[in-house]
PDB file of all heavy atoms in Angstrom:
ATOM      1  N   LEU A 191      18.212   9.125 -35.321  1.00  0.00           N
ATOM      2  CA  LEU A 191      18.212   7.756 -35.850  1.00  0.00           C
ATOM      3  C   LEU A 191      18.986   6.782 -34.966  1.00  0.00           C
ATOM      4  O   LEU A 191      18.659   5.594 -34.907  1.00  0.00           O
ATOM      5  CB  LEU A 191      18.784   7.743 -37.270  1.00  0.00           C
ATOM      6  CG  LEU A 191      17.953   8.482 -38.329  1.00  0.00           C
ATOM      7  CD1 LEU A 191      18.622   8.381 -39.696  1.00  0.00           C
ATOM      8  CD2 LEU A 191      16.542   7.920 -38.380  1.00  0.00           C
ATOM      9  N   LYS A 192      19.992   7.294 -34.267  1.00  0.00           N
ATOM     10  CA  LYS A 192      20.756   6.436 -33.367  1.00  0.00           C
ATOM     11  C   LYS A 192      19.935   6.064 -32.131  1.00  0.00           C
ATOM     12  O   LYS A 192      20.012   4.938 -31.626  1.00  0.00           O
ATOM     13  CB  LYS A 192      22.042   7.151 -32.944  1.00  0.00           C
ATOM     14  CG  LYS A 192      22.870   6.373 -31.917  1.00  0.00           C
ATOM     15  CD  LYS A 192      24.039   7.200 -31.413  1.00  0.00           C
ATOM     16  CE  LYS A 192      24.776   6.474 -30.297  1.00  0.00           C
ATOM     17  NZ  LYS A 192      25.867   7.317 -29.724  1.00  0.00           N
ATOM     18  N   LEU A 193      19.129   7.012 -31.648  1.00  0.00           N
ATOM     19  CA  LEU A 193      18.367   6.799 -30.419  1.00  0.00           C
ATOM     20  C   LEU A 193      17.018   6.124 -30.662  1.00  0.00           C
ATOM     21  O   LEU A 193      16.434   5.553 -29.738  1.00  0.00           O
ATOM     22  CB  LEU A 193      18.138   8.134 -29.708  1.00  0.00           C
ATOM     23  CG  LEU A 193      19.389   8.925 -29.316  1.00  0.00           C
ATOM     24  CD1 LEU A 193      18.992  10.225 -28.636  1.00  0.00           C
ATOM     25  CD2 LEU A 193      20.290   8.100 -28.399  1.00  0.00           C
ATOM     26  N   ARG A 194      16.512   6.196 -31.894  1.00  0.00           N
ATOM     27  CA  ARG A 194      15.166   5.708 -32.185  1.00  0.00           C
ATOM     28  C   ARG A 194      14.926   4.270 -31.728  1.00  0.00           C
ATOM     29  O   ARG A 194      13.904   3.982 -31.092  1.00  0.00           O
ATOM     30  CB  ARG A 194      14.863   5.846 -33.674  1.00  0.00           C
ATOM     31  CG  ARG A 194      13.463   5.397 -34.060  1.00  0.00           C
ATOM     32  CD  ARG A 194      13.180   5.673 -35.512  1.00  0.00           C
ATOM     33  NE  ARG A 194      13.218   7.113 -35.809  1.00  0.00           N
ATOM     34  CZ  ARG A 194      13.030   7.621 -37.032  1.00  0.00           C
ATOM     35  NH1 ARG A 194      12.781   6.801 -38.052  1.00  0.00           N
ATOM     36  NH2 ARG A 194      13.074   8.921 -37.212  1.00  0.00           N
ATOM     37  N   PRO A 195      15.830   3.317 -31.989  1.00  0.00           N
ATOM     38  CA  PRO A 195      15.556   1.932 -31.577  1.00  0.00           C
ATOM     39  C   PRO A 195      15.766   1.665 -30.086  1.00  0.00           C
ATOM     40  O   PRO A 195      15.440   0.586 -29.599  1.00  0.00           O
ATOM     41  CB  PRO A 195      16.544   1.109 -32.417  1.00  0.00           C
ATOM     42  CG  PRO A 195      17.683   2.051 -32.672  1.00  0.00           C
ATOM     43  CD  PRO A 195      17.060   3.409 -32.796  1.00  0.00           C
ATOM     44  N   GLN A 196      16.295   2.660 -29.360  1.00  0.00           N
ATOM     45  CA  GLN A 196      16.552   2.481 -27.935  1.00  0.00           C
ATOM     46  C   GLN A 196      15.339   2.924 -27.119  1.00  0.00           C
ATOM     47  O   GLN A 196      14.310   3.329 -27.667  1.00  0.00           O
ATOM     48  CB  GLN A 196      17.798   3.284 -27.532  1.00  0.00           C
ATOM     49  CG  GLN A 196      19.065   2.876 -28.295  1.00  0.00           C
ATOM     50  CD  GLN A 196      20.302   3.604 -27.797  1.00  0.00           C
ATOM     51  OE1 GLN A 196      20.536   3.709 -26.600  1.00  0.00           O
ATOM     52  NE2 GLN A 196      21.109   4.107 -28.721  1.00  0.00           N
ATOM     53  N   THR A 197      15.449   2.821 -25.796  1.00  0.00           N
ATOM     54  CA  THR A 197      14.356   3.219 -24.913  1.00  0.00           C
ATOM     55  C   THR A 197      14.884   4.164 -23.842  1.00  0.00           C
ATOM     56  O   THR A 197      16.097   4.399 -23.725  1.00  0.00           O
ATOM     57  CB  THR A 197      13.719   1.997 -24.222  1.00  0.00           C
ATOM     58  OG1 THR A 197      14.570   1.541 -23.150  1.00  0.00           O
ATOM     59  CG2 THR A 197      13.467   0.868 -25.198  1.00  0.00           C
ATOM     60  N   GLY A 198      13.975   4.656 -23.024  1.00  0.00           N
ATOM     61  CA  GLY A 198      14.341   5.568 -21.946  1.00  0.00           C
ATOM     62  C   GLY A 198      15.146   4.935 -20.839  1.00  0.00           C
ATOM     63  O   GLY A 198      15.548   5.621 -19.889  1.00  0.00           O
ATOM     64  N   ARG A 199      15.427   3.644 -20.949  1.00  0.00           N
ATOM     65  CA  ARG A 199      16.281   2.960 -19.972  1.00  0.00           C
ATOM     66  C   ARG A 199      17.716   2.818 -20.475  1.00  0.00           C
ATOM     67  O   ARG A 199      18.583   2.331 -19.747  1.00  0.00           O
ATOM     68  CB  ARG A 199      15.705   1.586 -19.636  1.00  0.00           C
ATOM     69  CG  ARG A 199      14.409   1.642 -18.888  1.00  0.00           C
ATOM     70  CD  ARG A 199      13.913   0.290 -18.435  1.00  0.00           C
ATOM     71  NE  ARG A 199      13.576  -0.583 -19.560  1.00  0.00           N
ATOM     72  CZ  ARG A 199      12.932  -1.735 -19.437  1.00  0.00           C
ATOM     73  NH1 ARG A 199      12.576  -2.165 -18.244  1.00  0.00           N
ATOM     74  NH2 ARG A 199      12.639  -2.448 -20.501  1.00  0.00           N
ATOM     75  N   ASP A 200      17.960   3.196 -21.727  1.00  0.00           N
ATOM     76  CA  ASP A 200      19.295   3.057 -22.304  1.00  0.00           C
ATOM     77  C   ASP A 200      20.139   4.301 -22.044  1.00  0.00           C
ATOM     78  O   ASP A 200      19.628   5.432 -22.022  1.00  0.00           O
ATOM     79  CB  ASP A 200      19.203   2.794 -23.811  1.00  0.00           C
ATOM     80  CG  ASP A 200      18.603   1.423 -24.113  1.00  0.00           C
ATOM     81  OD1 ASP A 200      19.036   0.445 -23.484  1.00  0.00           O
ATOM     82  OD2 ASP A 200      17.696   1.342 -24.954  1.00  0.00           O
ATOM     83  N   ALA A 201      21.423   4.088 -21.888  1.00  0.00           N
ATOM     84  CA  ALA A 201      22.329   5.165 -21.474  1.00  0.00           C
ATOM     85  C   ALA A 201      22.338   6.344 -22.438  1.00  0.00           C
ATOM     86  O   ALA A 201      22.378   7.509 -22.015  1.00  0.00           O
ATOM     87  CB  ALA A 201      23.745   4.602 -21.315  1.00  0.00           C
ATOM     88  N   ASP A 202      22.300   6.065 -23.746  1.00  0.00           N
ATOM     89  CA  ASP A 202      22.356   7.158 -24.724  1.00  0.00           C
ATOM     90  C   ASP A 202      21.116   8.045 -24.633  1.00  0.00           C
ATOM     91  O   ASP A 202      21.210   9.278 -24.732  1.00  0.00           O
ATOM     92  CB  ASP A 202      22.481   6.590 -26.136  1.00  0.00           C
ATOM     93  CG  ASP A 202      23.844   5.953 -26.386  1.00  0.00           C
ATOM     94  OD1 ASP A 202      24.784   6.268 -25.636  1.00  0.00           O
ATOM     95  OD2 ASP A 202      23.957   5.149 -27.324  1.00  0.00           O
ATOM     96  N   VAL A 203      19.965   7.441 -24.471  1.00  0.00           N
ATOM     97  CA  VAL A 203      18.722   8.221 -24.357  1.00  0.00           C
ATOM     98  C   VAL A 203      18.722   9.003 -23.051  1.00  0.00           C
ATOM     99  O   VAL A 203      18.316  10.169 -23.011  1.00  0.00           O
ATOM    100  CB  VAL A 203      17.491   7.291 -24.435  1.00  0.00           C
ATOM    101  CG1 VAL A 203      16.202   8.079 -24.202  1.00  0.00           C
ATOM    102  CG2 VAL A 203      17.445   6.590 -25.788  1.00  0.00           C
ATOM    103  N   ILE A 204      19.176   8.372 -21.979  1.00  0.00           N
ATOM    104  CA  ILE A 204      19.253   9.057 -20.687  1.00  0.00           C
ATOM    105  C   ILE A 204      20.169  10.276 -20.781  1.00  0.00           C
ATOM    106  O   ILE A 204      19.832  11.362 -20.298  1.00  0.00           O
ATOM    107  CB  ILE A 204      19.756   8.090 -19.599  1.00  0.00           C
ATOM    108  CG1 ILE A 204      18.709   7.003 -19.341  1.00  0.00           C
ATOM    109  CG2 ILE A 204      20.082   8.838 -18.310  1.00  0.00           C
ATOM    110  CD1 ILE A 204      19.180   5.895 -18.422  1.00  0.00           C
ATOM    111  N   ALA A 205      21.324  10.109 -21.437  1.00  0.00           N
ATOM    112  CA  ALA A 205      22.262  11.222 -21.584  1.00  0.00           C
ATOM    113  C   ALA A 205      21.638  12.348 -22.412  1.00  0.00           C
ATOM    114  O   ALA A 205      21.814  13.536 -22.103  1.00  0.00           O
ATOM    115  CB  ALA A 205      23.548  10.732 -22.237  1.00  0.00           C
ATOM    116  N   PHE A 206      20.918  11.969 -23.463  1.00  0.00           N
ATOM    117  CA  PHE A 206      20.255  12.971 -24.314  1.00  0.00           C
ATOM    118  C   PHE A 206      19.251  13.788 -23.500  1.00  0.00           C
ATOM    119  O   PHE A 206      19.239  15.032 -23.546  1.00  0.00           O
ATOM    120  CB  PHE A 206      19.550  12.267 -25.474  1.00  0.00           C
ATOM    121  CG  PHE A 206      18.685  13.167 -26.308  1.00  0.00           C
ATOM    122  CD1 PHE A 206      19.210  13.882 -27.375  1.00  0.00           C
ATOM    123  CD2 PHE A 206      17.324  13.303 -26.030  1.00  0.00           C
ATOM    124  CE1 PHE A 206      18.404  14.721 -28.131  1.00  0.00           C
ATOM    125  CE2 PHE A 206      16.511  14.130 -26.780  1.00  0.00           C
ATOM    126  CZ  PHE A 206      17.051  14.845 -27.838  1.00  0.00           C
ATOM    127  N   LEU A 207      18.394  13.127 -22.735  1.00  0.00           N
ATOM    128  CA  LEU A 207      17.364  13.822 -21.965  1.00  0.00           C
ATOM    129  C   LEU A 207      17.956  14.578 -20.778  1.00  0.00           C
ATOM    130  O   LEU A 207      17.463  15.650 -20.412  1.00  0.00           O
ATOM    131  CB  LEU A 207      16.302  12.822 -21.495  1.00  0.00           C
ATOM    132  CG  LEU A 207      15.459  12.211 -22.624  1.00  0.00           C
ATOM    133  CD1 LEU A 207      14.572  11.091 -22.100  1.00  0.00           C
ATOM    134  CD2 LEU A 207      14.610  13.286 -23.301  1.00  0.00           C
ATOM    135  N   ASP A 208      19.016  14.034 -20.192  1.00  0.00           N
ATOM    136  CA  ASP A 208      19.683  14.732 -19.091  1.00  0.00           C
ATOM    137  C   ASP A 208      20.249  16.080 -19.532  1.00  0.00           C
ATOM    138  O   ASP A 208      20.407  17.003 -18.720  1.00  0.00           O
ATOM    139  CB  ASP A 208      20.821  13.881 -18.526  1.00  0.00           C
ATOM    140  CG  ASP A 208      20.327  12.815 -17.555  1.00  0.00           C
ATOM    141  OD1 ASP A 208      19.155  12.901 -17.123  1.00  0.00           O
ATOM    142  OD2 ASP A 208      21.107  11.904 -17.229  1.00  0.00           O
TER     143      ASP A 208
END
Side-chain angles (χ1 to χ4, degrees):
L191 294 181
K192 176 187 174 184
L193 301 179
R194 182 175 297 178
Q196 301 185 46
T197 77
R199 293 186 295 191
D200 292 313
D202 290 341
V203 175
I204 293 172
F206 172 87
L207 293 172
D208 279 346

